[in-house]
Amino acid sequence: MSAKFIQLQSIDILSKIPSYHIILQGFIFLWVAWFISKRRQRVNRNQPSEEEVQRKLSEWRPEPLVPQNSKDHPSLTPKSVTSLAGKRMTIDGNDCLNLATHNYLGFVGNNEIQEKAVATVQKYGVGSCGPRGFYGTVDVHLELEERLAKFMNMEEAVVYSYGFSTIASAIPAFCKRKDLVFVDEMVNFSIQKGLDASRSNVKYFKHNDVKDLEKLLMEQEKIDKRNPKKAANTRRFLIIEGIYMNTGCICPLPELVVLCKKYKLRIFIDESISFGTLGIHGRGVTEYYDVPKEDIDMIMASLEWSIGSIGGFCVGTSFIIEHHRLSGLGYCFSASLPPLLTTAAITSLDIMERNIEIFKQLKRNCLSFDEGLKELEYFECTSYEKSPVKHLHLKEKREILEEMKILNEISKRCIDNNLAIIVPAYLEAEREMPRPSLRICISSTLNQEDIQFALRTLKNCSEQFLGFYK
């Protein structure tokens, strides 16, 4: 009786299920069975035979770990420096006037800085041996950050232990995937690596071309109107250099700030060269153009050029700097700046604050050198006249390898005649390979006799070689 009742109940339930449910379930079952069988067939079909595997292994030729280079490659015959790289330095036995290193204010070899560094080693030792967030923060780190923020008229500063990692860490700390970043095409390699790490959507505009940037912004504005919801959630940045390392040109900051306000861009500036060289007090391109600091979201700079130490820093609002301490990988995971180099940077700031004449002297030297370069027969200089970094290009354009050969030979002849001028080296990984040039780094320690000697030597060496080369 109960078994018959259950059977009747089951028939009654099945009769109430719509027929299309049964058809759909049957179709899904058949599709799953077909998909599994096809997958097995595909796996079996794609399995190569033993003969094919052996043939491919015999044909495979791995790339060498180290690519083949010519025996005369410059990296295989490096120049040897056997002295302090101050105003003068010894290269391959030649006592040279130094226009090769970024010692803009002449702080390398400064007696006051050296004495403070020695005293710091005696007190703290040579290193902190740990990241800042763990046990690497020493009181002099906090003092340097406070001094830098005060010097730059910003709320707060953060110090990194290496100049390259400062820029390369600061960018991905803020720029993330799906963010939109507008960048000058000639930015230096550390900015390029920071952009790679950010995985942001990067758009490059022509070097120092405000109109080209505005064109890109207008095109993006049209795209945003088609998808306003996505546009509202997209953060936008502009990344530039105060003075560009690869060209020596100054950025048109006031015009760029106007565009940033109009199109709502956050602006980051790498002032590694302009810090300590431009402005009445050496505060960089913002002071030079008299641009309000509140219009700039973040300023980044190296301590390895004007300051004559090691490391780098970022300045901005307290909100931005606190974000660095949690998200800047170079800050969080690198050993902190050695105390002796921290003290050296503090002492350099002391000298800069009490002796603003040093910036006037650097400016005079830059202008004087720029005037002299115009008299050279074979070279042209497109760098900014007040820039301490100047790039000399051959007036007559040739193939890149030929230009490199000519410039390296002129550099070698200059060193043999006691003048240190070099050809800047670039990595093949650079996004936009700069044109070969002779790079000249001008210092405030030069006098008119030094400048005339440098111009005369450069003129004689280039005329002797290029006159014969033709």
Side-chain angles (χ1 to χ4, degrees), residues 84-211:
L84 189 73
K87 178 180 178 178
R88 304 193 69 86
M89 65 178 177
T90 304
I91 304 178
D92 293 339
N94 299 298
D95 179 30
C96 298
L97 178 66
N98 181 14
L99 301 184
T101 62
H102 301 270
N103 185 27
Y104 309 136
L105 300 180
F107 287 159
V108 175
N110 180 281
N111 291 331
E112 181 182 352
I113 296 173
Q114 287 183 342
E115 290 172 3
K116 290 290 181 67
V118 170
T120 304
V121 172
Q122 293 172 344
K123 180 178 181 180
Y124 297 100
V126 295
S128 54
C129 302
R132 287 287 303 276
F134 294 90
Y135 44 83
T137 295
V138 183
D139 56 353
V140 289
H141 292 132
L142 302 177
E143 181 183 353
L144 176 58
E145 289 174 343
E146 184 180 349
R147 291 290 303 279
L148 285 168
K150 182 181 178 181
F151 182 80
M152 295 297 290
N153 294 325
M154 290 288 201
E155 290 183 10
E156 204 167 332
V158 61
V159 170
Y160 283 74
S161 55
Y162 181 39
F164 188 97
S165 67
T166 302
I167 317 299
S169 298
I171 293 172
F174 294 89
C175 305
K176 304 297 183 181
R177 188 190 293 272
K178 297 182 180 180
D179 288 344
L180 193 57
V181 186
F182 296 89
V183 187
D184 190 291
E185 65 181 1
M186 293 304 295
V187 290
N188 60 54
F189 193 56
S190 57
I191 292 179
Q192 294 176 36
K193 291 295 99 182
L195 293 170
D196 289 344
S198 72
R199 298 179 293 178
S200 301
N201 181 15
V202 181
K203 294 192 175 184
Y204 291 93
F205 59 93
K206 294 177 184 177
H207 182 45
N208 257 0
D209 192 333
V210 178
K211 291 183 178 179

Side-chain angles (χ1 to χ4, degrees), residues 255-413:
E255 300 170 62
L256 294 173
V257 169
V258 171
L259 286 182
C260 289
K261 290 181 178 179
K262 181 178 179 181
Y263 292 96
K264 296 180 174 58
L265 298 168
R266 297 173 174 90
I267 181 170
F268 294 168
I269 308 177
D270 177 2
E271 292 217 56
S272 293
I273 296 178
S274 52
F275 172 72
T277 62
L278 290 182
I280 297 175
H281 303 90
R283 295 191 177 104
V285 70
T286 49
E287 183 182 47
Y288 179 76
Y289 282 118
D290 196 23
V291 172
K293 291 295 174 68
E294 54 267 22
D295 290 342
I296 309 300
D297 293 278
M298 183 170 65
I299 293 175
M300 312 169 281
S302 171
L303 293 170
E304 298 163 12
W305 305 147
S306 297
I307 293 294
S309 183
I310 297 292
F313 69 91
C314 297
V315 290
T317 63
S318 297
F319 174 80
I320 286 177
I321 298 308
E322 287 306 313
H323 184 75
H324 267 280
R325 302 188 194 279
L326 297 174
S327 302
L329 298 183
Y331 177 89
C332 294
F333 299 107
S334 296
S336 61
L337 188 65
L340 71 103
L341 296 171
T342 308
T343 305
I346 293 171
T347 309
S348 296
L349 285 174
D350 290 337
I351 299 172
M352 291 166 65
E353 287 178 339
R354 69 171 183 256
N355 181 21
I356 63 172
E357 178 63 30
I358 196 171
F359 307 115
K360 297 178 182 177
Q361 181 61 42
L362 178 61
K363 177 183 174 181
R364 287 194 291 267
N365 288 348
C366 291
L367 291 173
S368 178
F369 217 105
D370 191 77
E371 282 297 316
L373 292 176
K374 295 176 183 177
E375 304 298 323
L376 297 179
E377 179 182 356
Y378 296 102
F379 290 104
E380 61 181 359
C381 178
T382 57
S383 302
Y384 183 55
E385 59 182 6
K386 297 178 185 176
S387 168
V389 174
K390 299 188 185 296
H391 288 264
L392 296 184
H393 301 283
L394 294 171
K395 287 183 180 178
E396 182 183 342
K397 283 192 175 183
R398 308 165 189 255
E399 292 184 357
I400 292 179
L401 292 179
E402 187 178 3
E403 287 193 355
M404 285 291 294
K405 179 181 177 182
I406 293 171
L407 295 173
N408 277 313
E409 180 61 30
I410 293 174
S411 171
K412 182 178 181 301
R413 290 181 178 227

